[in-house]
Amino acid sequence: MSGSAARLGSKDRLTFSKSWERYKYIYLLLLPGVIYLIIFKYLPMYGLIIAFQEFTIFSGVFQSAWAGLENFSRMMSSRMFWQAFWNTIRISVLRLIFVFPAPVLFSLLLNELPFKRFRRFTQTISYLPHFISWIIIAGILDVFVNPGNGVIMLAIQKIGLAPPNVISSNTWFVPMLIVTDIYKTMGYSAIVYLAAISSIDPGLYEAAIIDGASRFRLVWHITLPSILPVICIMFIFNIGSIMEGGFNQIFVLYNPLVYRTADIIDTFIYRMGILTADYSLGAAAQFFKSIIGMLLVIGSNYGVRLFKQSGLW
Amino acid sequence: MRQFFEKRIRPGLLFDIFNVMFFIILSIVFLAPFIHILMYSVSDISHYSTAGLFLLPRGFDPAIYEALLLKGIRIPNALLTSLFVAISGTFLGVLISSMLAYAITKPFKGRGVLVVLIFFTMMFSGGMVPTWLVVRGLGLLDSRCALVLPGMVTGFYVFILRNFIQMLPEGLEESVLIDGGSYLTVFFKIVLPLSKPVIATVALMTAVGYWNDYFSSIIYLFDTQKWPLATLIRDLINRSQLSVMEGGVVVGLDVNRLDNVKIKSATMVISMIPVLIAYPFAQKYFERGMIIGAIKG
């Protein structure tokens, strides 16, 4: 961003007609993109005003009656909404605690593997699940933990224990989200850490080995500090998406029995705004979420910039 | 560091042994689910037990694939829809995004505003409900185009493409312009061909996103015959507790002696095939995608 702003400076005083004459083909090239952005990005943003209306599909955005903050007060007094709000935050924080460190640990251990071929092979399979749809992951999960004939459940039965119904138990659902999330994202997220590790100056290791450092100390004093900036930046970016909660994953797995622990803001918006056609309430929840989400993203981008300036990068 | 280690007897042999064992187990855990559904789908389950993990086929009976792909109509239809959505969405999305990305490297009047407007779409979104209303307003409800359009261009990919295009040498462009070529010539003859690596990355990520998308068809389509494969699989999973007949209905087959798990497994295998075929070739681009995404994001 900063580079382009600097280059812009000198030609900033171009008049529009001159600019048109010189760049008409450039305007032509950006036309489809601009039309697209207006229709599919900015029109929906404008559409959020239905959060302040008593919107009905028959009167449309322009003729629906204004409702002030009525939809927001309905939302604020809805127990379901606050449940979804706190579930979103709880699930996101749990992901930061358990899912976030997994690829760091994975890449540190992988880097210590002695055989290059094996290292490459393991890494290759580890990020295969990233490219498989959550639908398939849910289908596989069903094949394994289905209470009727799941592979793992039958095995638990064989030992003589009562298998839990993972999909519809409020105790097991969130841990199941965490485990499947690690399964799906660990290998792929590790790529960026592995790239950071491979750019460490080998001279550092050689010097430390000559000084008699053990392998653990090499990891602790060289590898980890070298990739710490990347870890911090990834962490700050992750904080920026706390309001997300992982819609695509939860939507394929959840059911009314686990709303108490698994219903997040996005699934709430879907059920209110689309399924029960309470468009204004859905838009109110979306507005709330988008505003907080934007503040978090701006905050985290600012945090990353501060961090980069702090000299640790 | 590795070569350095590999030349001498490694300190911490015990750690190595455990580490190697850990990664062997991890690899098995990562692969076993996929192997299981593949092997289950080709096993002869009328003669063998269906219990336990299938790491090898028990008997051999791939008739299910013939039934799903040749006798039934729903899976072939869903495959065609998935292919249509992924190909058209990727083609149009990458074309429009790279046109936009190239354009914003030029200092035309209004560029600053446009860049800010594109950037803003990455931070604030109208979200599901207003987007649905826009799609409805365009008369696209219940049309396959509704699966393609809403997610076609994203600010994130535009900036990834822009960052790459900015790095291209300017001399080539200038020589085309001096020879009387226009910016259109520059874009199609120079920028597009030279940007192949980043375009491949963006295209692959976009295509995988389309291929795996099940949610758009849930909100935009009423006619279940128009569903792509991913959504069909979701329906199969949700009905997993129901009878075999139900599973047969979902995939459009008249079945009496087929196991529901087998229908489900085979359908999942079919839907993974394109990704698995592309995987070895696309790996380099996938990895690059992660790194640019993480650092520039």
Side-chain angles (χ1 to χ4, degrees), chain A residues 4 14 19 27 36 42 44 109 111 114 119-120 124 127-128 131 133 136 142 183 188 215 248 286 290, chain B residues 2 6 10-11 16 19 30-31 109 111 117 125-126 130 149-150 152 212 214 264 271 279 283 286-287:
Chain A
S4 60
L14 222 67
S19 170
Y27 287 109
Y36 181 89
Y42 279 90
L109 286 174
N111 188 52
R119 204 184 301 141
R120 189 70 205 140
T124 305
Y127 62 80
L128 177 63
F131 296 99
S133 173
I136 306 283
D142 179 66
Y183 176 74
Y188 198 61
R215 270 175 75 194
N248 271 322
Q286 179 72 57
S290 287
Chain B
R2 280 162 200 153
E6 275 149 19
R10 298 166 65 89
D16 277 332
N19 203 16
F30 269 101
L31 275 184
K109 184 93 182 157
R111 176 175 78 161
L117 287 178
S125 138
L149 289 170
M152 203 165 71
N212 289 342
Y214 63 88
K264 213 170 11 179
S271 107
Y279 197 62
Q283 249 190 58
F286 286 154
E287 290 184 16

Side-chain angles (χ1 to χ4, degrees), chain B residues 157-207:
Chain B
Y157 289 150
V158 172
F159 284 119
I160 286 184
L161 289 161
R162 197 264 323 242
N163 289 344
F164 186 91
I165 293 171
Q166 241 170 11
M167 303 293 178
L168 295 176
E170 280 177 37
L172 288 168
E173 176 182 295
E174 273 158 26
S175 67
V176 170
L177 291 177
I178 288 166
D179 287 350
S182 69
Y183 282 112
L184 282 182
T185 328
V186 177
F187 176 72
F188 285 107
K189 292 269 161 67
I190 293 179
V191 174
L192 275 189
L194 286 182
S195 308
K196 246 187 236 157
V198 68
I199 286 179
T201 303
V202 171
L204 278 165
M205 314 276 256
T206 314

Side-chain angles (χ1 to χ4, degrees), chain B residues 75-292:
Chain B
I75 301 263
N77 271 343
L79 258 175
L80 283 179
T81 303
S82 290
L83 281 174
F84 164 75
V85 169
I87 292 173
S88 59
T90 306
F91 177 76
L92 288 173
V94 169
L95 184 67
I96 295 178
S97 304
S98 44
M99 278 158 60
L100 199 54
Y102 171 61
I104 59 174
T105 61
K106 297 284 151 259
F108 59 88
K109 184 93 182 157
R111 176 175 78 161
V113 181
L114 183 60
V115 169
V116 170
L117 287 178
I118 299 173
F119 189 66
F120 187 69
T121 63
M122 291 166 66
M123 293 193 295
F124 191 84
S125 138
M128 192 190 301
V129 177
T131 307
W132 187 86
L133 290 171
V134 167
V135 169
R136 185 182 173 280
L138 293 170
L140 292 176
L141 278 193
D142 212 22
S143 142
R144 289 183 181 90
C145 293
L147 310 183
V148 178
L149 289 170
M152 203 165 71
V153 176
T154 59
F156 182 61
Y157 289 150
V158 172
F159 284 119
I160 286 184
L161 289 161
R162 197 264 323 242
N163 289 344
F164 186 91
I165 293 171
Q166 241 170 11
M167 303 293 178
L168 295 176
E170 280 177 37
L172 288 168
E173 176 182 295
E174 273 158 26
S175 67
V176 170
L177 291 177
I178 288 166
D179 287 350
S182 69
Y183 282 112
L184 282 182
T185 328
V186 177
F187 176 72
F188 285 107
K189 292 269 161 67
I190 293 179
V191 174
L192 275 189
L194 286 182
S195 308
K196 246 187 236 157
V198 68
I199 286 179
T201 303
V202 171
L204 278 165
M205 314 276 256
T206 314
V208 171
Y210 275 117
W211 188 261
N212 289 342
D213 173 40
Y214 63 88
F215 185 68
S216 303
S217 32
I218 291 175
I219 58 175
Y220 296 130
L221 299 183
F222 309 122
D223 181 359
T224 59
Q225 296 293 327
K226 292 178 184 160
W227 273 353
L229 204 50
T231 318
L232 200 68
I233 294 173
R234 176 173 180 269
D235 205 30
L236 271 176
I237 299 165
N238 284 357
R239 299 193 194 208
S240 68
Q241 311 281 359
L242 302 172
S243 67
V244 175
M245 281 298 289
E246 290 265 0
V249 170
V250 174
V251 293
L253 273 183
D254 182 19
V255 278
N256 28 33
R257 280 217 44 83
L258 281 174
D259 176 0
N260 232 351
V261 181
K262 194 161 173 168
I263 298 179
K264 213 170 11 179
S265 305
T267 315
M268 290 197 281
V269 170
I270 292 172
S271 107
M272 280 192 290
I273 286 173
V275 177
L276 293 181
I277 291 177
Y279 197 62
F281 307 103
Q283 249 190 58
K284 172 170 82 170
Y285 297 111
F286 286 154
E287 290 184 16
R288 194 178 299 157
M290 173 65 196
I291 292 164
I292 7 187

